[in-house]
Amino acid sequence: TVSMTLKYRSGVIPSLHDPEFSTRYRKNADMTYYNVGNMIYGFIGSFALFFLIIGGLLFLLVWPISQPVMVALLGWGVGLTITVVVKMLLTMCCRSASNRAFYRIRPAAANISSLALECWNIGLGG
């Protein structure tokens, strides 16, 4: 903001008047031009990786040789997703009913729900 800029210019914040500023902080000032290339190639790389992963999974799902295994994996993934969503919803409900920020407004209920969710977490293995 304006006050920070004035502090830099007046020397209250010593970075511009630091004797090491030109040797320590201003090294490789041209490296900022690499950001455009990083953005472009990062986008292309992430798009290609996403396309290969999703395309490969879809291919394996419709290929008759691997279809039974992929259907079993798909069922496993759907079951795991449902379990995780139910756990997230229960955690949100228990937090909103028992806690306010880091303060427990109902300590007994918070302890019971924490114990139950911890047992569920141990039972699921993570």
Side-chain angles (χ1 to χ4, degrees):
T1 63
V2 175
S3 64
M4 186 66 74
T5 304
L6 292 175
K7 287 179 184 179
Y8 272 124
R9 288 182 180 174
S10 65
V12 173
I13 299 175
S15 68
L16 295 176
H17 298 286
D18 190 7
E20 294 182 5
F21 180 72
S22 61
T23 59
R24 184 175 178 189
Y25 300 121
R26 294 214 34 178
K27 290 171 65 175
N28 299 331
D30 59 330
M31 296 292 282
T32 58
Y33 296 109
Y34 292 152
N35 284 338
V36 175
N38 288 337
M39 288 188 298
I40 292 170
Y41 290 116
F43 171 73
I44 291 171
S46 63
F47 176 76
L49 185 63
F50 180 78
F51 180 74
L52 286 174
I53 290 172
I54 298 300
L57 289 175
L58 286 175
F59 172 74
L60 290 174
L61 188 62
V62 297
W63 192 33
I65 295 173
S66 64
Q67 194 171 19
V69 174
M70 291 303 292
V71 168
L73 286 175
L74 185 65
W76 179 78
V78 168
L80 184 65
T81 302
I82 291 171
T83 304
V84 169
V85 168
V86 168
K87 183 180 178 226
M88 287 173 55
L89 291 173
L90 276 174
T91 303
M92 287 189 330
C93 291
C94 292
R95 282 181 186 163
S96 65
S98 304
N99 297 336
R100 184 163 294 128
F102 289 114
Y103 179 71
R104 291 182 171 192
I105 54 176
R106 295 175 43 206
N111 288 338
I112 292 171
S113 66
S114 294
L115 181 64
L117 289 171
E118 189 171 340
C119 289
W120 189 0
N121 197 25
I122 291 170
L124 291 178

